[in-house]
Amino acid sequence: MRAVTHDERAAAGLLAGLVAVLMAVTAFPILYSLWISLFAVNLRRPNRMPFVGLDNYIAVLSSPAFWGSVGRTALFSALAVAAILVIATLVALLLDQEFPGRRILSACLLIPWAIPSVVNGLMWKWIYDSNYGALNGLLLQLGFIGSATIWLGDSNRTLPLIANAFIWKEVPLAAILLLVTLKSIPADLYGAAAVDGAPAWRRFFAITLPALRPGFLLVTLYEAMMAVRHFDLFFLLTEGGPGGASDVVAWRIYVETFRNLSFGTGAAMSYILAIATLLMSYALIRGMARTL
Amino acid sequence: MARIRFQSVTKRYANGATAVAGLDLDIADQEFLVLLGPSGCGKSTTLNMIAGLEEISEGALLFDDRTMNNVPAHRRDVAMVFQSYALYPHKSVFENIAFGLRMRRVPEPELRRRVMDAAAKLEIAHLLERRPSQLSGGQRQRVALGRAMVREPSVFLMDEPLSNLDASLRISMRAQIRHLHAQMHSTFVYVTHDQAEALTLADRIVVMRDGTIQQIGSPDDIYERPANLFVASFLGSPAINLLEGALETIGGTLCFRRGALTVPLPACFRGDAREVVLGLRPEDVGPATSEAAQIHGVVDTAMPAGSDQFLGVAVEGAMLFLRVPKDVRVREGEPIGFGLTESRLHLFDRTTGRSLRRAA
Ligand SMILES: Nc1ncnc2c1ncn2[C@@H]1O[C@H](COP(=O)(O)OP(=O)(O)O)[C@@H](O)[C@H]1O
Ligand SMILES: [Mg+2]
């Protein structure tokens, strides 16, 4: 066996404190919620806490309501990720051009990203508001609608509208990730393709798109993880409503845990969501590694 | 088939920098023309204007009799080898070479045949399935050449194609490129900052500096009859020796004088400057004989260099670097004399830098 050097021992000593803190703030809650998910914990009966094994998981997975929220989460995430990819690509392509005012525009585009999530939620709540909302105001003044619409009250519109607010906040980061990828494409490649006889749109498909692939995968991975676990907007805008139309998994976990005070099933649901997110990320990373 | 003409072409970049100023150049069909000059002198800009990758700010560019200023790159029959090679990273070697043909809708069987032909000539047939990232520098360079070759373009542009290769490969690739030119019926415009490369490859060399042409001529013209001090010192390795001095007419003969040194000059030089610079290439000295003009000095250093030796000789307060055969016995600190060949001397006006050689 190799001897441990002095440097390594010093490094271990220095790292030990950090590792201890990390364990306390991350590993402990993670393990503790795993532990809880194996018990029937209900704060309405705090003294009784029987061990139930995987019963919580079985209950969650066999509940049609849970699968309904899984479907809505998937729909919301697919909508959001697809739109973010398209819009962020367009924004990145725009910002990659040289034009006067480019710097100012790039700075402005960062604003949504800089806004705290809760502030973003409240802002969209105000925009969508049926009485004094900016959206109704705008559409009424432009004459697109005759009377004020209760935007979030329509169960067919709820998910797309929340997705819209989510997209608005997420596009800047995605656009910057893609812009970095665009900037890394050597200009000579475009020159070579032009000289080879490729008009602009051909150059886009032959060079820009393939070069953006790692960027697309990174954005998809990151945004899918964000969307699947997103909670703030559902909490601030609709509280899962109307009639469960925006009842996604993250919202359901909150309701189960903090309204029904059923910590055991809430924790089990969290674990199911976490594992699903991990599996999804793993699949995406595998895909990424294969295409790079 | 293409004759390329620049008519008073100026290129200004968006930041206001003038990269090329008032360029007049007439490149003959199927000529091998080399643009030579130090980094930043506007060679790439000139090449990119031919390719259509840079817009022309002023003046006209013609292919044969057609004005090309507003013809986009993809509509010009031009192929180009980039210094960075610019291979498409996501395509196989085969698809890299085939891309230009696909853009021109060459039918598949002919496309395959042409790619295979080029690959065989360049000895990269075994690499066709690989990605550019899996190739060595020399192999990438060949793929870049292949990609341009298969196009059989009327204009073949190369921007320092050999500068990223190691020295021995660079020499052998020169021969390949000469060979390529002989086989193809294309006009070659080749950019380099390497004077040796220019001298071996070119039919004609254009020496550039700060966006302007210093001299256009055959390699012999440029090397043996440089038009000014810049051209004289840019070509040749080691560089030409430059001795400052004055002109005097002694006994009816124009002479170069510097201190005790007097060099009678041949009739091919004009005497219409006082302050002059005498140019002497290191290899242009011989044994001192009574007929020839002579130059005397003291050996300062002697460095053997394979078949020859280089001498540093102090002459009238200046140091000359000279190349002499190895069998010339010298000792550091001893006086030495050389014979000069009149026809090998160069004379420049010290104020303007221009050659004082009479037009032939
Ligand atoms: N895209 C550009 N924008 C502004 N200036 C440029 C650009 N490209 C080149 N230049 C300038 O133009 C001059 C000529 O450049 P270039 O043609 O690349 O020289 P060379 O190829 O001879 O080294 C240089 O001074 C360079 O800094
Ligand atoms: Mg260059």
Side-chain angles (χ1 to χ4, degrees):
Chain A
M1 227 179 97
R2 200 176 58 93
V4 178
T5 68
H6 179 72
D7 274 0
E8 281 167 346
R9 221 174 301 139
L14 288 168
L15 283 173
L18 181 64
V19 170
V21 173
L22 278 179
M23 292 298 276
V25 300
T26 63
F28 174 72
I30 288 174
L31 292 174
Y32 186 61
S33 59
L34 179 64
W35 179 247
I36 285 182
S37 73
L38 303 175
F39 292 85
V41 189
N42 194 320
L43 284 196
R44 276 174 280 200
R45 280 163 293 164
N47 295 329
R48 257 172 43 84
M49 201 175 122
F51 181 82
V52 293
L54 291 177
D55 279 5
N56 284 331
Y57 289 88
I58 292 163
V60 168
L61 289 174
S62 57
S63 141
F66 174 76
W67 286 107
S69 64
V70 168
R72 282 183 288 275
T73 304
L75 178 65
F76 170 80
S77 305
L79 261 178
V81 172
I84 289 169
L85 278 175
V86 173
I87 298 170
T89 305
L90 295 176
V91 170
L93 288 171
L94 176 73
L95 290 182
D96 196 32
Q97 309 299 312
E98 283 295 335
F99 58 87
R102 186 177 59 90
R103 277 167 183 280
I104 296 171
L105 189 64
S106 346
C108 290
L109 274 158
L110 284 180
I111 291 173
W113 184 38
I115 290 178
S117 183
V118 170
V119 177
N120 182 51
L122 293 173
M123 182 184 81
W124 282 97
K125 192 178 176 68
W126 176 72
I127 291 174
Y128 289 149
D129 190 278
S130 52
N131 297 316
Y132 50 83
L135 184 60
N136 272 335
L138 182 73
L139 295 179
L140 276 171
Q141 275 167 29
L142 292 176
F144 285 122
I145 52 174
S147 60
T149 308
I150 306 170
W151 292 105
L152 293 168
D154 180 336
S155 57
N156 291 322
R157 285 194 194 128
T158 309
L159 276 185
L161 286 174
I162 298 176
N164 182 55
F166 180 78
I167 293 159
W168 192 81
K169 178 153 174 54
E170 294 296 321
V171 157
L173 180 65
I176 285 177
L177 281 172
L178 294 177
L179 185 60
V180 171
T181 320
L182 280 180
K183 291 272 182 227
S184 70
I185 305 175
D188 274 359
L189 280 184
Y190 291 105
V195 167
D196 258 347
W201 68 272
R202 286 281 208 155
R203 299 200 284 274
F204 178 76
F205 283 103
I207 294 167
T208 316
L209 269 191
L212 275 177
R213 199 128 118 200
F216 285 149
L217 281 158
L218 193 63
V219 168
T220 306
L221 176 67
Y222 176 76
E223 297 299 348
M225 284 174 71
M226 295 299 280
V228 163
R229 296 173 307 149
H230 191 70
F231 171 74
D232 304 11
L233 285 167
F234 295 99
F235 177 69
L236 290 162
L237 291 184
T238 58
E239 301 213 333
S246 60
D247 176 8
V248 292
V249 174
W251 172 253
R252 179 159 285 270
I253 292 171
Y254 170 79
V255 170
E256 190 70 12
T257 314
F258 297 107
R259 296 211 174 152
N260 301 344
L261 299 177
S262 170
F263 280 29
T265 39
M269 242 185 259
S270 302
Y271 258 87
I272 291 167
L273 180 61
I275 288 165
T277 310
L278 271 179
L279 288 177
M280 179 187 75
S281 312
Y282 178 72
L284 280 169
I285 290 172
R286 281 290 301 271
M288 202 181 314
R290 205 151 9 90
T291 56
L292 287 187
Chain B
M1 297 285 167
R3 167 187 181 194
I4 303 167
R5 272 180 293 173
F6 283 92
Q7 295 176 338
S8 320
V9 167
T10 292
K11 170 67 192 181
R12 263 183 300 275
Y13 280 107
N15 63 4
T18 303
V20 170
L23 187 79
D24 278 301
L25 182 59
D26 190 341
I27 308 172
D29 179 35
Q30 300 187 32
E31 178 172 12
F32 197 126
L33 185 100
V34 173
L35 297 175
L36 174 67
S39 167
C41 71
K43 308 178 298 284
S44 295
T45 304
T46 306
L47 205 68
N48 289 341
M49 286 192 287
I50 301 177
L53 299 178
E54 289 293 354
E55 274 181 32
I56 293 167
S57 313
E58 272 169 42
L61 170 72
L62 285 81
F63 284 6
D64 295 323
D65 290 315
R66 187 163 168 228
T67 306
M68 300 303 284
N69 291 40
N70 295 319
V71 179
H74 66 271
R75 299 237 176 77
R76 301 185 184 191
D77 188 15
V78 165
M80 180 153 166
V81 178
F82 292 77
Q83 181 173 9
S84 64
Y85 309 145
L87 300 180
Y88 310 125
H90 305 282
K91 294 185 191 297
S92 66
V93 168
F94 183 96
E95 288 303 327
N96 261 278
I97 299 177
F99 187 71
L101 300 178
R102 292 208 189 283
M103 290 302 117
R104 282 172 176 73
R105 305 223 158 71
V106 173
E108 193 68 29
E110 188 192 338
L111 177 145
R112 287 201 74 78
R113 186 181 55 72
R114 278 163 76 172
V115 173
M116 292 309 201
D117 266 9
K121 271 185 200 146
L122 294 167
E123 296 165 18
I124 50 173
H126 58 294
L127 304 173
L128 288 172
E129 298 311 315
R130 294 213 195 152
R131 289 286 177 96
S133 57
Q134 299 165 315
L135 302 179
S136 72
Q139 291 167 335
R140 283 179 208 186
Q141 204 275 340
R142 280 155 191 276
V143 176
L145 268 183
R147 184 171 67 179
M149 258 169 74
V150 279
R151 297 260 318 278
E152 294 168 14
S154 47
V155 177
F156 201 117
L157 306 175
M158 286 183 257
D159 194 347
E160 315 219 7
L162 306 184
S163 62
N164 292 332
L165 302 181
D166 54 48
S168 62
L169 198 53
R170 202 147 60 208
I171 309 274
S172 72
M173 283 310 291
R174 280 184 203 164
Q176 282 230 9
I177 287 174
R178 247 342 287 197
H179 194 59
L180 193 64
H181 175 247
Q183 288 177 337
M184 296 178 66
H185 303 286
S186 310
T187 309
F188 275 48
V189 184
Y190 185 105
V191 162
T192 182
H193 65 264
D194 180 338
Q195 48 98 26
E197 212 166 283
L199 291 170
T200 33
L201 286 172
D203 291 333
R204 277 196 309 159
I205 296 175
V206 175
V207 183
M208 295 181 70
R209 176 198 198 182
D210 294 341
T212 58
I213 294 179
Q214 301 292 303
Q215 189 173 0
I216 307 178
S218 68
D220 271 359
D221 281 337
I222 302 274
Y223 191 77
E224 306 200 350
R225 289 173 289 283
N228 57 39
L229 277 171
F230 174 79
V231 176
S233 39
F234 195 74
L235 284 102
S237 169
I240 191 169
N241 295 291
L242 297 172
L243 267 182
E244 298 187 344
L247 280 188
E248 258 175 53
T249 311
I250 300 171
T253 310
L254 191 64
C255 291
F256 171 85
R257 302 259 342 231
R258 178 189 172 97
L261 174 70
T262 305
V263 180
L265 296 167
C268 64
F269 293 119
R270 286 177 279 124
D272 52 7
R274 260 194 50 76
E275 309 265 275
V276 295
V277 178
L278 183 73
L280 177 65
R281 294 214 181 268
E283 67 272 23
D284 289 340
V285 290
T289 58
S290 53
E291 301 97 68
Q294 293 187 2
I295 198 163
H296 293 273
V298 175
V299 176
D300 180 80
T301 45
M303 293 169 287
S307 53
D308 292 327
Q309 58 181 331
F310 286 110
L311 302 182
V313 181
V315 177
E316 293 298 324
M319 185 69 68
L320 300 186
F321 267 89
L322 302 172
R323 188 159 84 193
V324 299
K326 199 155 56 181
D327 51 15
V328 176
R329 289 286 178 87
V330 291
R331 288 254 289 278
E332 291 178 2
E334 289 194 347
I336 191 168
F338 297 100
L340 302 176
T341 316
E342 285 186 344
S343 62
R344 294 276 181 177
L345 293 176
H346 307 274
L347 193 69
F348 305 93
D349 184 327
R350 196 151 110 199
T351 22
T352 63
R354 291 213 190 91
S355 172
L356 288 170
R357 187 181 296 274
R358 291 180 213 275

